[in-house]
Each structure stands twice: as C-alpha cells, then as structure tokens.
C-alpha cells in the first residue's frame, strides 16, 4: 500500500500462482472489488495503474467524500489484508505492438491518470519507436498522482514522452498551464504540440465535461 498523495493510495496484490493467468491484463483495464460494510455488500471498480512488464498488479484508489471503499482503502487497508477481487475487465485499452511507430495523446484530470499511466508505461516500454504527449490536470502540484513516477519516465524517455501539467489553483506563469483543461486549452495544445490527424490514438479520462470538450475539439479538427 503506497501513499501517492494526501488522498490517494495505490495498492499492489500478491496473487496465488494458480491465478496468474486469470489476472493477466491489457493496459487500461480495471479491477472490481467486493466488500461488506455493516452487513451491506458494495462493489467498486478501480483502474490498473501498473504495466504488464512491471511484474505486479496495482490499482490507484482516490478517497472520495463519503466513499465507503475509498475511505477504507486510504485509512485502514494494510499489508497482509485479503480482498475480494474480480478478474480484469474494460475496453479503454491499448495493446502495444513492438513494431509500431506511433504518436499517442493522453488527456487526463485527477485520478483519471490511473488507466492512462498503465497505457503510457506500456507504450514507452513495449513500443520503442512510439511517442506520447500527456496533458494532465490537477488542482496543485501536491495533488498530482504519480508525480515522481511521471518525472522518472520523462527522464528515462527524454525524447519520447512530453508532459504538460495544467494546474487550476497554482499559477505556473503560463495561461495554457493555468486553470482547468477545457476546449480552448485542448485546441491550443493541438495547435502547438501535435498534428491531430496523424495521432494514432487518443485517451481521455477524467470529468465528463473535459472528455466531451476534448472529443468535440478533436472531431472538429478531423480526428476520426
């Protein structure tokens, strides 16, 4: 159990040897959990943030106000605990191909970085000729989930990963990087940092408002 930020933990699982095949996953998939609270069963789903080459199965869980499972995970979950976990699911995925030479664009906000993180790491490690542009929105620099890991990836893949942190409550001296990720900002990023029609895949994860704005801007630029 790793404390990623003040209100987010990531959790890795020790899998029995006979279940390794059952829990194989594609970057971008999620796990569903089942737990009883005061006799009431609840189910919650959280995205996998690890890459298949990491040798672990890890999810990130951000604490939500009033959220039973997310509060439990952030305040009580500890090494050695056993959780009821379904096998990986989901279609928000990228299956890396080692011979590909693509550019991918990921737009995330808050805990929306979780499946994106799995996808980015997988591209960088498994598609050596591909590049990634990440636009990531948060309130402040201290609320950036996976901040150190993203910096490490930037340093390791200098010419293949470009990261743009957009902060809504922390002025970085640039209008483009201050505020929320909206249609206007996505339009400017597209103009300055990538050619929309040549991008092989877009991955948007975060608030519906941001996702819808991103889709509309990209479609207006001729993206399929």
């Amino acid at each position: 159990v790793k404390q990623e930020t003040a209100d987010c933990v990531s959790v890795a699982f020790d899998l029995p040897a006979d279940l390794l095949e059952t829990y194989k996953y594609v970057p971008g998939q999620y796990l569903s959990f089942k737990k009883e609270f005061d006799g009431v069963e609840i189910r919650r789903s959280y995205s996998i943030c690890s890459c298949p080459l990491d040798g672990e199965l890890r999810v990130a869980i951000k604490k939500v106000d009033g959220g039973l499972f997310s509060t439990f995970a952030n305040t009580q979950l500890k090494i050695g605990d056993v959780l009821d976990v379904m096998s990986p699911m989901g279609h928000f995925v990228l299956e890396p191909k080692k011979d590909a030479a693509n550019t991918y664009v990921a737009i995330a906000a808050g805990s929306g970085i979780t499946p994106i993180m799995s996808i980015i790491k997988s591209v960088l490690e498994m598609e050596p000729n591909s590049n990634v542009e990440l636009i990531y929105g948060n309130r402040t620099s201290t609320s950036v989930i996976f901040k150190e890991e993203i910096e490490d990836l930037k340093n390791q893949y200098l010419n293949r990963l470009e990261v743009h942190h957009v902060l809504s409550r922390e002025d970085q001296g640039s209008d483009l990087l201050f505020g929320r990720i909206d249609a206007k900002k996505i339009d400017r990023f597209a103009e300055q940092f990538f050619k929309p029609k040549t991008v092989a895949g877009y991955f948007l994860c975060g608030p519906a408002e941001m996702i819808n704005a991103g889709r509309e801007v990209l479609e207006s630029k001729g993206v399929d």
Side-chain angles (χ1 to χ4, degrees):
V1 180
K2 180 182 178 184
Q3 196 77 44
E4 298 288 350
T5 65
D7 60 356
C8 179
V9 293
S10 65
V11 183
F13 301 96
D14 184 20
L15 297 170
D18 60 336
L19 290 179
L20 292 179
E21 283 296 315
T22 303
Y23 285 87
K24 274 190 173 179
Y25 62 92
V26 180
Q29 288 191 306
Y30 63 87
L31 298 176
S32 291
F33 300 84
K34 181 175 73 174
K35 185 172 175 58
E36 281 195 6
F37 290 92
D38 296 326
V40 178
E41 179 185 296
I42 67 164
R43 298 187 181 212
R44 295 292 183 269
S45 298
Y46 297 97
S47 295
I48 298 167
C49 58
S50 51
C51 159
L53 295 184
D54 287 347
E56 70 175 5
L57 181 66
R58 182 179 289 272
V59 300
I61 303 173
K62 185 174 183 179
K63 187 179 178 182
V64 178
D65 289 341
L68 289 174
F69 193 94
S70 67
T71 300
F72 157 75
N74 274 268
T75 59
Q76 298 178 50
L77 192 63
K78 61 187 184 301
I79 293 172
D81 286 352
V82 177
L83 290 177
D84 226 344
V85 188
M86 294 178 69
S87 53
M89 293 179 284
H91 303 289
F92 182 77
V93 298
L94 184 149
E95 297 190 49
K97 297 177 175 60
K98 65 178 182 179
D99 297 327
N102 294 324
T103 293
Y104 301 100
V105 172
I107 305 174
S111 56
I113 190 65
T114 309
I116 299 285
M117 197 66 189
S118 180
I119 290 168
I120 288 175
K121 287 194 288 186
S122 299
V123 167
L124 295 173
E125 293 184 29
M126 302 164 77
E127 287 191 8
N129 298 311
S130 292
N131 305 310
V132 181
E133 289 272 350
L134 170 63
I135 302 164
Y136 184 20
N138 282 282
R139 292 180 179 178
T140 65
S141 54
T142 58
S143 63
V144 176
I145 303 172
F146 308 128
K147 184 179 180 182
E148 289 184 9
E149 193 170 1
I150 291 171
E151 288 301 315
D152 289 344
L153 287 173
K154 272 178 61 180
N155 293 332
Q156 186 177 351
Y157 300 99
L158 275 174
N159 301 315
R160 297 180 50 216
L161 173 63
E162 190 157 5
V163 180
H164 311 276
H165 287 290
V166 181
L167 304 177
S168 62
R169 297 186 182 177
E170 196 173 300
D171 193 344
Q172 303 177 80
S174 164
D175 288 344
L176 184 59
L177 302 178
F178 181 60
R180 294 179 180 273
I181 298 176
D182 55 15
K184 188 176 179 181
K185 278 187 169 53
I186 294 169
D187 185 68
R188 286 182 62 192
F189 274 115
E191 286 181 0
Q192 294 181 37
F193 296 103
F194 55 89
K195 298 176 181 177
K197 289 185 181 179
T198 66
V199 173
Y202 290 92
F203 296 88
L204 286 72
C205 193
E209 187 178 356
M210 184 202 76
I211 292 172
N212 293 333
R215 180 187 292 121
E216 288 172 12
V217 169
L218 295 170
E219 287 181 346
S220 74
K221 292 183 177 295
V223 173
D224 184 349

